[in-house]
Amino acid sequence: MTGLSCYIVFASATPAAAMHIAEGFLPVQWAVFWWAVSLPFFWFGLRSLSRITNQHPELKLLLALAGAFTFVLSALKIPSVTGSCSHPTGTGLGAILFGPSVITVLGGLVLLFQAILLAHGGLTTLGANLFSMAIVGPLVAYFVYRGLLQIGQPRLAIFCASASANLLTYLVTSVQLALAFPAENGGFMASFVKFAGIFALTQIPLAISEGLLTVLVWNWLQSFGQQELKTLKLLKQES
């Protein structure tokens, strides 16, 4: 049985290797575990989102932009090696603008709509996909951005934050799949290396491309969304 599972994981195409783990692919105990881990983050994000929209309703359009950016980029499935696929995540921009908790909610809604409308991901695996793409990715983006911002290079900080969110998402997905399907020989680590290797050739160029695109969108916001950015700055000072 274990051998059959490993074959399905490593030999099949899209369901195993897509960045969104497919519906029904995870064993029940792991699906429940990732739901339990992710829900507190989502609840905290709802509170943060509610506070922002109540205090600064003029930011709703910018919130919609961050959500749309995540939806469009993460829906782009690009063929990878051995018939698998990779895709951008789009969560770095929202994490930079609003912080990681808010993008957890936006990312969760994106994943829900993609699972229902596009059959990309799934409902049982939504907790796992939420944790990798909308929790860990934005957290990494936020702290990378804040750290690099201290050296006075905002565009470099934006690029690195967005690219890091992308890469960490795929690494966490690799960990999740390796935990659920350890290899017969080598266990978790061997399985993780195989999963990470499937993604690496396409995901690294995608992370670089996503970083560059996020910088371009930021430049556009600097030109056409100055009032919203000023409001965001005041919001962060209040926090």
Side-chain angles (χ1 to χ4, degrees), residues 19-21 34 38 87 89 91 111 125-140 164-176:
M19 281 273 283
H20 295 355
I21 302 174
W34 292 115
S38 299
H87 64 75
T89 64
T91 58
L111 289 166
T125 57
L126 184 60
N129 293 327
L130 180 66
F131 185 78
S132 63
M133 195 183 94
I135 295 175
V136 174
L139 277 170
V140 170
S164 297
N166 184 303
L167 291 174
L168 262 293
T169 296
Y170 103 80
L171 285 177
V172 172
T173 300
S174 298
V175 168
Q176 291 171 327

Side-chain angles (χ1 to χ4, degrees), residues 140-165:
V140 170
Y142 178 77
F143 286 111
V144 168
Y145 174 72
R146 298 293 298 177
L148 291 178
L149 201 60
Q150 303 301 316
I151 66 175
Q153 296 292 332
R155 286 174 176 78
L156 176 62
I158 291 166
F159 170 82
C160 292
S162 183
S164 297

Side-chain angles (χ1 to χ4, degrees), residues 69 92-93 96 158 162 209-219:
F69 188 73
L93 178 65
I96 292 166
I158 291 166
S162 183
S209 300
E210 182 175 340
L212 294 172
L213 179 60
T214 305
V215 172
L216 290 176
V217 174
W218 179 263
N219 290 340

Side-chain angles (χ1 to χ4, degrees), residues 62 65 214-226 229:
L62 196 57
L65 171 66
T214 305
V215 172
L216 290 176
V217 174
W218 179 263
N219 290 340
W220 179 83
L221 285 173
Q222 291 280 357
S223 300
F224 299 101
Q226 292 184 8
L229 293 179

